[in-house]
Amino acid sequence: MSEMEPEVKRFLTKIVWTIFWGLVWMTVNTLIGIKWGYALFEGRYRIGNYLFYPWFVISLTALLRYYYITWKDSFNAH
């Protein structure tokens, strides 16, 4: 059986980690926001509502930064 080219292996690894962290981020925010109800204002405001939205923005920023750092070298002209 032949070995995979190292460059192709790195590229596929980036794809897998990108999908993995995106799904983890979506799962955590769906659980906290929708399942536990912190994204929804139902009659009264709770401390969880005020904590969820900054968490959402900070975690989205961190995820997008991770994506940028991971993929910035892939799109530069060689």
Side-chain angles (χ1 to χ4, degrees):
M1 183 155 43
S2 65
E3 273 294 313
M4 188 181 301
E5 293 286 332
E7 189 171 324
V8 173
K9 188 174 183 178
R10 280 193 300 274
F11 184 72
L12 291 176
T13 302
K14 284 182 182 182
I15 291 173
V16 168
W17 281 111
T18 298
I19 292 170
F20 172 77
W21 285 117
L23 289 174
V24 167
W25 180 83
M26 285 190 291
T27 303
V28 167
N29 283 298
T30 300
L31 176 69
I32 295 170
I34 296 174
K35 179 72 174 159
W36 293 343
Y38 292 121
L40 309 171
F41 296 100
E42 297 172 346
R44 64 183 180 94
Y45 301 118
R46 296 177 295 181
I47 190 70
N49 297 118
Y50 293 114
L51 295 176
F52 173 74
Y53 286 101
W55 156 257
F56 182 84
V57 171
I58 291 168
S59 65
L60 177 61
T61 304
L63 180 68
L64 293 176
R65 180 171 163 77
Y66 167 75
Y67 285 167
Y68 176 76
I69 290 170
T70 301
W71 289 99
K72 71 179 177 180
D73 296 333
S74 297
F75 296 109
N76 290 339
H78 295 290

